[in-house]
Amino acid sequence: MVYARKTSLLLAASLLSMALTWTAEAAAACKYNNGLACPMETPCCSPHGHCGNSVLACGTGCSAESSYNGACQRYNYDLATPGSVNGAGLPKPVPSLPKGSFKVVGLTGVAAQHIALVTPRKMLIIDKAEDNPARLPDGKAAHTVEYDLETNEYRVMDVQTNTFCSGGGFLPNGTLISAGGAEARGTHAFQTAKGFQSLRMWQPCEDNSCQWIENPEDPAWQMTANRWYVSVTTMPTGDLFILGGSNESLAINREATNNPTWEIYPRPADFQPVFLQFMVDAMPNNLYPNVYSLPDGNLYIFANQKSMIYNVQTQQEVKRLPDLPGGPRSYPLTGSHVLLPLDPAKNYDHEILVCGGSATMSTRSNALQSCGRINLHADDPQWEMDQMPTPRLMGDPVILADGKILLLNGAQVGYAGFLRASNPTYTPAVYDPNAPLGQRFTEWVPSNIARMYHSTATLLPDGTVFVAGSNQNSEVRYVNVPFPTEYRVEIFTPPYLTTDLERPEIVSTIPEFAAYDEKVEVVVDVKSKDRYAPEITFMLSHRGFVTHSTHMSQRMTKLVATQVSEAGTQITYSVEMPPTTNLMPPGPHYIHVLNNGVPSKALHFILRN
């Protein structure tokens, strides 16, 4: 783990008490640890040359001389829990609400089927065309609003085409592109043109002047074919990779409706959609596939139980990976998918976590409880299986400011679709990627709002989590249904915001634009050093576009930081931006600084070439 840490006299004394015959400089390097032996937090050099702290890393084949302190000895997590001391004997902050808290703060006006954080203050909320309470000036029901995160009020906007089950992604300048949708719909209450092939543009603003930009009749504002349940991913080039979908609205894909192709936005001249055999092999559960860019510029693609590595430039499949055991994990048997936070100390290993889903398309089918995790850097990537505390399908995986994964929303029975699921999963589970296998999950405080089909969640700049949506019904329904259409917004406050340590603050100005591999000087005010010695980490994240448990382009990385100077409680760091676009594609990003795990409010900037 690479992070900036002030070395205190107490830490120095603790290190000196260790065996003086071993030093990091004298130890052999662990293969993928930047020429160093493994650090204390992930002390074991595994047989594959990665640093870790699990049984897999520290067991048979562990290289002792490449491990922390010259021995394959797992880190003692019992000495690093809040309220006790860490391995250096330093006290850690104690949360007053160790399981967090939920609070209802506002109403969305339209069902929150899709969301995107478009500015630090504004959330774009998108639904399908239906009879929502939010109204346009002509009295028709709206299906998009801009939600103000400070006032908890919404502004209604019009969009010409049906956005039902669309996808989305950000361009390098921060512009959002919404892609795909569904059929034309018209009643006395709402009206919309077909959106299967549509492209829509949202250029964010803070002055309430933004509106949708689209021209459904212009081929330049259309994709090459219909795409319903389509995935969109920002590539390292800054272009959008648009994958899959079906050519009509349906409950499950079939050969006649499958669109097993991809295309690019902006679309090059004379571009033709590219056939992808993988999207045929993953039938019928291949809608909303999950896609992540990799350090070598290739893409990782997951659908159903299958995954592969793909080269966009050569249009060739590079490698087919093992199937994930346990059952399908894509719509309508929807699981939760996330790229775990990247760490320069682990050579930016890309590890994918997939949790939950449902085994069969039955309203009586139990949700899956299993999770799979795969390290794409391994010589022979294999799925490492784990168990959630509770079965879950249609869960939202949110990367928190400290790099842990919050799984919330969803159901325990059924599958995705209208009136297809029951037994809501009210209790969130948090996954610690750095804990040993079998000890990674903890359950937090439950909500009292059922959020199943068409629910959403994402991390906010202040470190809390925005939670909204849920509509199990084919239309807006308030009565005589098991689960009415839900418009309430909840804010979930993680435990890290309830400690006795005041949150740090970035007091210097972050530039509007930052370049790759650029060193940015950041001044952090830790507020106090009286009780806790500063332990500083910088985290950079992109929130992505969220719908149907699919968090398109969501990713986070730790940043390398070096302390430059110190004046009272203000500490200056030289913070290195990611070295390449392959690690964090260009576009809008948020930077948090954490002190002993307590995050600051994030600052927003554009990362670009």
Side-chain angles (χ1 to χ4, degrees), residues 290-539:
N290 292 85
V291 185
Y292 305 98
S293 67
L294 299 176
D296 58 5
N298 291 323
L299 297 180
Y300 171 83
I301 302 175
F302 182 102
N304 200 328
Q305 295 173 260
K306 300 183 179 298
S307 59
M308 72 159 180
I309 296 172
Y310 185 74
N311 188 308
V312 173
Q313 299 301 319
T314 64
Q315 301 180 8
Q316 296 293 318
E317 181 176 314
V318 176
K319 186 175 186 177
R320 189 69 65 101
L321 299 166
D323 286 0
L324 173 59
R329 315 283 180 147
S330 300
Y331 183 89
L333 307 178
T334 307
S336 307
H337 307 248
V338 65
L339 170 66
L340 297 179
L342 309 180
D343 188 342
K346 298 178 182 177
N347 201 35
Y348 297 103
D349 279 9
H350 279 49
E351 295 186 88
I352 308 296
L353 178 70
V354 182
C355 288
S358 189
T360 61
M361 281 187 63
S362 166
T363 56
R364 297 181 180 181
S365 177
N366 290 325
L368 300 175
Q369 195 168 353
S370 63
C371 296
R373 175 172 168 173
I374 192 169
N375 187 341
L376 302 178
H377 284 224
D379 294 334
D380 181 23
Q382 298 292 326
W383 290 99
E384 174 191 79
M385 301 307 294
D386 204 345
Q387 290 282 107
M388 294 183 289
T390 306
R392 189 187 305 261
L393 69 132
M394 298 184 293
D396 277 288
V398 177
I399 307 177
L400 296 176
D402 62 357
K404 295 182 175 67
I405 312 301
L406 179 67
L407 292 167
L408 73 171
N409 301 338
Q412 297 184 54
V413 175
Y415 61 99
F418 296 126
L419 298 175
R420 304 301 186 189
S422 58
N423 194 3
T425 308
Y426 293 101
T427 303
V430 64
Y431 178 88
D432 183 351
N434 295 317
L437 180 64
Q439 302 177 38
R440 293 172 180 160
F441 281 104
T442 304
E443 290 192 303
W444 282 353
V445 66
S447 170
N448 59 10
I449 298 177
R451 297 198 187 272
M452 296 187 285
Y453 192 45
H454 291 159
S455 297
T456 49
T458 194
L459 181 68
L460 295 180
D462 67 358
T464 63
V465 178
F466 181 93
V467 188
S470 191
N471 191 10
Q472 289 273 99
N473 313 293
S474 59
E475 303 293 343
V476 172
R477 294 287 184 270
Y478 304 121
V479 296
N480 301 323
V481 290
F483 302 101
T485 306
E486 183 59 65
Y487 294 99
R488 287 174 289 178
V489 175
E490 286 178 292
I491 295 297
F492 178 76
T493 300
Y496 56 46
L497 292 178
T498 71
T499 74
D500 55 350
L501 175 62
E502 188 174 356
R503 64 194 306 179
E505 180 183 3
I506 299 175
V507 294
S508 57
T509 300
I510 298 291
E512 181 182 358
F513 302 98
Y516 287 88
D517 215 22
E518 178 183 357
K519 293 183 179 180
V520 178
E521 193 168 275
V522 180
V523 182
V524 178
D525 190 344
V526 297
K527 306 298 184 179
S528 173
K529 303 176 186 175
D530 295 340
R531 189 168 183 182
Y532 305 107
E535 184 177 296
I536 301 299
T537 309
F538 288 89
M539 305 293 277

Side-chain angles (χ1 to χ4, degrees), residues 24-101:
E25 291 78 8
C30 197
K31 182 177 180 182
Y32 295 113
N33 193 36
N34 297 327
L36 300 172
C38 292
M40 179 178 67
E41 291 81 3
T42 52
C44 303
C45 184
S46 75
H48 298 294
H50 299 281
C51 295
N53 51 17
S54 67
V55 173
L56 297 176
C58 302
T60 303
C62 172
S63 172
E65 64 177 357
S66 302
S67 298
Y68 178 73
N69 204 26
C72 291
Q73 185 173 352
R74 293 171 61 189
Y75 187 62
N76 188 345
Y77 279 84
D78 292 336
L79 296 180
T81 55
S84 66
V85 294
N86 63 15
L90 302 176
K92 304 299 290 182
V94 181
S96 60
L97 297 174
K99 296 186 177 182
S101 65

Side-chain angles (χ1 to χ4, degrees), residues 113-118 124-126 163 165-170 176-179 200 212 230-232 288 456-458 542-554:
Q113 184 181 132
H114 322 67
I115 62 173
L117 183 66
V118 289
L124 189 63
I125 301 176
I126 306 171
T163 48
C165 296
S166 52
F170 286 88
L176 175 72
I177 299 297
S178 167
R200 315 163 195 89
W212 283 104
V230 59
S231 285
V232 181
Y288 277 142
T456 49
T458 194
H542 176 70
R543 307 299 201 250
F545 180 92
V546 181
T547 187
H548 292 75
S549 305
T550 306
H551 291 231
M552 301 177 192
S553 300
Q554 176 186 219

Side-chain angles (χ1 to χ4, degrees), residues 159-206:
V159 61
Q160 299 177 48
T161 53
N162 194 356
T163 48
F164 184 28
C165 296
S166 52
F170 286 88
L171 297 175
N173 66 355
T175 295
L176 175 72
I177 299 297
S178 167
E183 66 278 351
R185 303 193 77 201
T187 72
H188 70 283
F190 54 88
Q191 189 80 33
T192 187
K194 66 180 179 180
F196 284 115
Q197 208 167 334
S198 294
L199 293 167
R200 315 163 195 89
M201 180 179 290
W202 181 266
Q203 295 177 322
C205 66
E206 291 282 15

